[in-house]
Amino acid sequence: MEEKISQIQKEYLEKIGKAQNLKELDVIFLELFGKNGIINALSAEFPKLPKEELPEIGPLFNKIKKELETAIEKKREAIREVGYKKLETEKLVLQGDALQLKKRQGHFHPVTQFEKETIDLFEKLGFIQFEAPHIDTDENNFGLLNIPEGHPARDLWDTLYIDSKLLLRTHTSNGQVRAMRKYGVPLRIMIIDRCFRYENLDARHEHTFEQFELVYIDKGVSMANLQYLSEYFFKALLGQDIQARLRPKYFPFVEPGAGVDSECIFCKGKGCKVCGGIGWLELAGAGMIHPTVLKNGGIDPNIYSGIAWGFGPLRMAMLKYGVEDIRKFLSGDLKFLTK
Ligand SMILES: [Zn+2]
């Protein structure tokens, strides 16, 4: 028995010394200490040994067991050490298959792409971007825009209130008076950002959506500027031959207000299913900024006039990219986003 143990000791110390990598060491470890390994097999033989041999064999067995364990652990450390050194000195060289891997590159969200195009377009006309908070006071979102508390026009928005004073802004117009107070006149700003409403969700309505708004205030600004900006925008984004038209429409913070239609891009004004046979699609809302709103922004409405012009980038992107359900934009569905 003693001889057998010494034999194993010699054989395995040699094997451990020669091991080249961690995998080989693992194999050796299992051969020795695994469930069906040599050590267990030896222990199973102990009861059969003559009683007088046990006091000597027991400690020897334990000593060698420990020695083998330590040798494996030390070798493991040594192999790892070599690996770390290599990492420090070697350069990673990709060959063969590694170079064939197809590169998967990300891209902007379709609505972001559309917004970037829009921003570029109006920057050329001297508009600068302006930001206003998503959580705002009732005063900034409604009061200063000529929609005081209790005014029936507030029913036009299904507002998400946080408490009696704070709300999630229902439109980007909460930046209007802020911008007037910050920059004064003449003013050319655009606000493009998220807004929130308590909506019944369907293919055309989302609780979280984007809005784009232009505010232009100067001496002599009129509805003619609105017509120009609308055509400039539609022609650039939907096609050179697309016309724009203004139609009277009520919005509480403008006077007069207008719905902005583009000629239907599908039938070019002849009338089709998408436009309901009218030949026009309502894409934006606009109007002359109400004198009360100008006054709230510290601007004299007897000298200056202004226009506000806005649309929903999600709706426009639906039209431009032929998307039928508005909810797809926020779904996080990669199949849709990479299409
Ligand atoms: Zn049509």
Side-chain angles (χ1 to χ4, degrees):
M1 187 69 175
E2 204 182 318
E3 207 175 300
K4 201 171 171 183
I5 293 175
S6 302
Q7 183 61 38
I8 290 167
Q9 178 197 22
K10 195 172 159 246
E11 185 189 330
Y12 273 87
L13 283 178
E14 206 173 304
K15 269 194 174 181
I16 293 166
K18 281 183 184 163
Q20 296 288 319
N21 53 48
L22 294 175
K23 214 171 173 183
E24 279 178 41
L25 268 185
D26 285 343
V27 173
I28 295 168
F29 181 85
L30 282 177
E31 275 175 27
L32 286 169
F33 300 103
K35 199 177 162 199
N36 301 315
I38 292 164
I39 297 294
N40 272 346
L42 281 176
S43 313
E45 283 180 38
F46 282 7
K48 293 175 216 157
L49 291 173
K51 273 210 171 101
E52 59 273 21
E53 277 188 30
L54 272 176
E56 274 189 41
I57 294 290
L60 176 72
F61 174 76
N62 283 333
K63 186 180 149 241
I64 288 170
K65 192 174 138 189
K66 188 90 202 147
E67 192 183 341
L68 289 168
E69 266 177 338
T70 313
I72 290 177
E73 204 36 58
K74 278 195 172 156
K75 183 73 183 184
R76 255 197 199 123
E77 297 257 309
I79 289 173
R80 284 196 191 116
E81 215 35 62
V82 174
Y84 297 147
K85 286 239 166 68
K86 262 192 183 170
L87 273 182
E88 279 169 19
T89 52
E90 271 184 6
K91 277 189 183 142
L92 180 65
V93 180
L94 293 178
Q95 306 175 317
D97 286 353
L99 292 174
Q100 306 298 323
L101 286 174
K102 196 181 157 207
K103 275 189 199 158
R104 195 180 146 269
Q105 201 170 359
H107 60 77
F108 283 117
H109 189 280
V111 174
T112 309
Q113 288 175 30
F114 181 75
E115 288 177 351
K116 283 167 107 52
E117 278 179 52
T118 310
I119 289 167
D120 285 349
L121 208 61
F122 287 104
E123 266 176 355
K124 283 181 195 148
L125 297 185
F127 286 86
I128 58 162
Q129 279 194 75
F130 186 77
E131 278 190 356
H134 289 179
I135 297 175
D136 207 353
T137 57
D138 189 279
E139 180 75 351
N140 278 314
N141 195 82
F142 290 126
L144 293 173
L145 295 173
N146 198 31
I147 319 167
E149 214 168 312
H151 194 288
R154 286 203 183 194
D155 291 347
L156 293 172
W157 295 274
D158 292 308
T159 311
L160 291 158
Y161 281 93
I162 289 170
D163 57 30
S164 60
K165 289 262 174 285
L166 290 175
L167 46 79
L168 290 178
R169 65 156 179 213
T170 55
H171 43 209
T172 45
S173 307
N174 69 330
Q176 276 190 20
V177 170
R178 268 200 178 81
M180 291 179 208
R181 287 177 178 176
K182 184 170 179 184
Y183 295 118
V185 273
L187 184 70
R188 280 184 206 197
I189 55 148
M190 53 181 151
I191 312 171
I192 189 159
D193 207 347
R194 289 194 159 178
C195 304
F196 313 88
R197 283 181 203 172
Y198 183 69
E199 290 277 9
N200 261 334
L201 304 191
D202 63 29
R204 282 168 57 80
H205 296 89
E206 250 297 7
H207 52 72
T208 301
F209 56 98
E210 305 280 314
Q211 220 175 45
F212 179 89
E213 175 164 343
L214 289 175
V215 176
Y216 175 29
I217 304 170
D218 206 340
K219 285 177 186 163
V221 172
S222 74
M223 293 295 274
N225 297 90
L226 270 185
Q227 178 72 28
Y228 172 77
L229 286 175
S230 305
E231 288 207 353
Y232 171 73
F233 178 65
F234 294 151
K235 284 187 168 154
L237 283 166
L238 302 175
Q240 275 306 317
D241 51 346
I242 295 295
Q243 304 288 315
R245 78 168 183 189
L246 301 178
R247 214 167 10 83
K249 191 169 178 183
Y250 171 70
F251 296 105
F253 39 97
V254 288
E255 176 65 41
V260 185
D261 299 346
S262 84
E263 206 176 14
C264 176
I265 55 169
F266 301 100
C267 63
K268 297 274 157 53
K270 289 192 191 84
C272 69
K273 218 164 71 181
V274 181
C275 59
I278 306 167
W280 296 88
L281 294 166
E282 180 175 354
L283 293 182
M288 301 296 299
I289 297 172
H290 198 283
T292 307
V293 180
L294 289 176
K295 266 187 227 159
N296 289 338
I299 293 165
D300 185 348
N302 295 315
I303 304 172
Y304 293 97
S305 55
I307 53 174
W309 187 99
F311 71 90
L314 288 185
R315 291 263 176 89
M316 289 290 271
M318 283 170 84
L319 202 65
K320 189 172 161 86
Y321 303 125
V323 177
E324 281 165 9
D325 193 330
I326 198 169
R327 291 166 294 188
K328 287 203 162 153
F329 288 118
L330 289 178
S331 68
D333 181 355
L334 274 179
K335 263 190 222 154
F336 165 71
L337 294 175
T338 50
K339 233 187 342 198

